[in-house]
Amino acid sequence: MSIRNLGIKQRILVLGGIVVVGFVALLLIAGGILDHVMINGDLYDEIVREHDLVADILPPPHYIVDSFLLCYQINGTTLTASRNEMLDELSASAELFDRRRAFWQAKLPDGDLKQDMQRVAEPAEEFFRIVRERFVPAVQGAADAGEPQAVLNEWLAPAFERHKLAVAAALQRARTLITTTEADAEAAVAGGRTAALIVAAVVVLLILLGGLLIMRPVSTSLSMLSVRMHELAESEADLSARLEITSNDEIGQLSHSFNRFVEKIASLVQAVRKSSIQLTSTSTEMAATSREQEATVNAFGSSTNQIAASVQQISATGTELMKTIDDVQEIAHHSESLADTGR
């Protein structure tokens, strides 16, 4: 079925259906994307898994366990070159710790987690201070620094233990905050999805109501126009009826133009009717005149017949008169002869 054969109402309904289907499809696509990237979604789980893998492979710069083990390696080596390389690595670890501590100090908002991170940093700063002031000189053989193993056991190990406990407390609080944040995010997503569905339902309802409100006057006006055109096509059309103009849109302008068209047709029909009446009157007059002319011709023919009869009578009278004259002349000759004889 071709769309050209559809009426205006059906076309508007088809257009509204396309809009609604497209809107629903958009919501489904958006919902699918949201489910994919939301907290605890597929993409989120993949990102968290990759971060956890990196964290398991590389030592965290804010946790000084790698530096603590490096100190034991430095104390156990006898090669000067290896010791110097490990001392440089230990110094780089201290610098990395300072940078990350400053970073999180600026990034974290004020609260319990920031205080926990400060408690993590304090024993770590003490650890690196002992490394610089006692352990490195002891390793390098300074006379007043003591034995490296004693520095490890008496100074660095207690600082590391305090640091480890602080890390465990901060980690527990961070996990609690992550769980709370994920729950809040999931609630926000669920609320957003519900709100989106409500808004979508309202929008679809408004589209349908708006379509009906727009379609009803258009369909009514076009139906009235179609009925009037059908009436005009009939043999007995009422040219005095007019379309009611209720708007100033294209339909109203079309109705106004149609009314003007009907008015012109009515004027034309009235003029034709008047001319027809005049023509009928003229035909009647011409018929009467023709009949009068026929009577006149008939009368003229009768007069002609009378004239012919009169002419015939005059001719007969003339003939008789000539005969009488001849008789008179004969009588006159006879009388003259008689007179001559009497003398």
Side-chain angles (χ1 to χ4, degrees):
M1 184 176 182
S2 176
I3 194 172
R4 295 181 179 179
N5 297 326
L6 296 177
I8 299 297
K9 184 176 181 180
Q10 287 77 14
R11 293 184 183 184
I12 294 177
L13 289 176
V14 170
L15 180 60
I18 292 175
V19 172
V20 171
V21 171
F23 192 74
V24 172
L26 180 62
L27 285 178
L28 293 177
I29 293 174
I33 295 175
L34 187 62
D35 290 336
H36 184 60
V37 301
M38 66 180 292
I39 302 299
N40 292 326
D42 297 337
L43 186 61
Y44 175 83
D45 290 340
E46 184 178 351
I47 293 174
V48 171
R49 183 171 61 251
E50 292 174 355
H51 277 291
D52 291 342
L53 178 61
V54 172
D56 287 343
I57 294 174
L58 297 177
H62 221 79
Y63 190 25
I64 62 173
V65 60
D66 186 60
S67 298
F68 185 57
L69 294 176
L70 191 59
C71 291
Y72 275 97
Q73 290 178 342
I74 293 172
N75 183 51
T77 185
T78 57
L79 298 176
T80 304
S82 298
R83 182 187 302 116
N84 291 335
E85 290 180 359
M86 286 186 284
L87 287 175
D88 293 338
E89 186 178 350
L90 183 61
S91 178
S93 298
E95 293 177 358
L96 178 60
F97 172 81
D98 290 337
R99 289 198 302 270
R100 299 306 296 173
R101 180 187 59 79
F103 172 81
W104 287 113
Q105 189 68 23
K107 280 289 184 180
L108 288 176
D110 294 335
D112 294 337
L113 183 58
K114 189 172 185 178
Q115 293 177 1
D116 287 343
M117 292 302 293
Q118 183 63 32
R119 284 190 284 270
V120 168
E122 289 173 356
E125 291 174 349
E126 181 182 0
F127 176 89
F128 286 116
R129 181 181 58 80
I130 294 171
V131 167
R132 289 191 303 269
E133 294 178 358
R134 292 181 178 271
F135 181 72
V136 173
V139 170
Q140 292 176 348
D144 58 346
E147 292 295 327
Q149 186 64 44
V151 175
L152 279 171
N153 295 334
E154 297 175 5
W155 296 91
L156 292 181
F160 175 75
E161 288 297 327
R162 292 194 301 272
H163 171 75
K164 184 172 68 172
L165 293 175
V167 167
L171 183 60
Q172 182 62 34
R173 189 179 300 277
R175 288 174 176 171
T176 302
L177 290 176
I178 290 173
T179 302
T180 303
T181 303
E182 288 178 349
D184 293 341
E186 289 179 354
V189 170
R193 183 185 288 110
T194 303
L197 292 176
I198 295 174
V199 171
V202 172
V203 169
V204 170
L205 182 61
L206 290 177
I207 290 174
L208 294 177
L209 291 177
L212 290 176
L213 292 176
I214 294 173
M215 183 175 61
R216 179 175 297 177
V218 172
S219 178
T220 302
S221 300
L222 291 178
S223 298
M224 293 176 59
L225 182 61
S226 177
V227 170
R228 288 292 296 127
M229 293 295 291
H230 181 72
E231 290 177 353
L232 285 178
E234 297 296 329
S235 58
E236 296 180 358
D238 184 11
L239 297 178
S240 62
R242 297 291 183 270
L243 291 177
E244 182 181 0
I245 300 175
T246 59
S247 62
N248 195 28
D249 55 4
E250 289 79 1
I251 300 299
Q253 295 174 3
L254 179 61
S255 299
H256 178 69
S257 300
F258 178 79
N259 288 338
R260 291 182 59 188
F261 174 70
V262 173
E263 288 176 0
K264 290 184 178 181
I265 292 179
S267 300
L268 180 61
V269 170
Q270 187 67 25
V272 170
R273 183 178 298 173
K274 184 177 180 181
S275 299
S276 178
I277 293 173
Q278 292 177 353
L279 182 60
T280 302
S281 177
T282 302
S283 298
T284 302
E285 293 177 358
M286 290 179 65
T289 302
S290 176
R291 287 194 295 271
E292 291 178 358
Q293 290 178 353
E294 183 179 2
T296 302
V297 170
N298 291 333
F300 181 73
S302 178
S303 299
T304 303
N305 291 333
Q306 291 178 359
I307 292 173
S310 299
V311 170
Q312 289 177 358
Q313 290 179 359
I314 292 173
S315 177
T317 304
T319 302
E320 291 179 358
L321 181 59
M322 290 297 294
K323 183 178 181 182
T324 302
I325 293 174
D326 289 339
D327 290 341
V328 171
Q329 286 181 351
E330 185 179 356
I331 293 173
H333 285 301
H334 183 69
S335 297
E336 185 178 358
S337 296
L338 288 179
D340 289 336
T341 303
R343 277 191 303 261

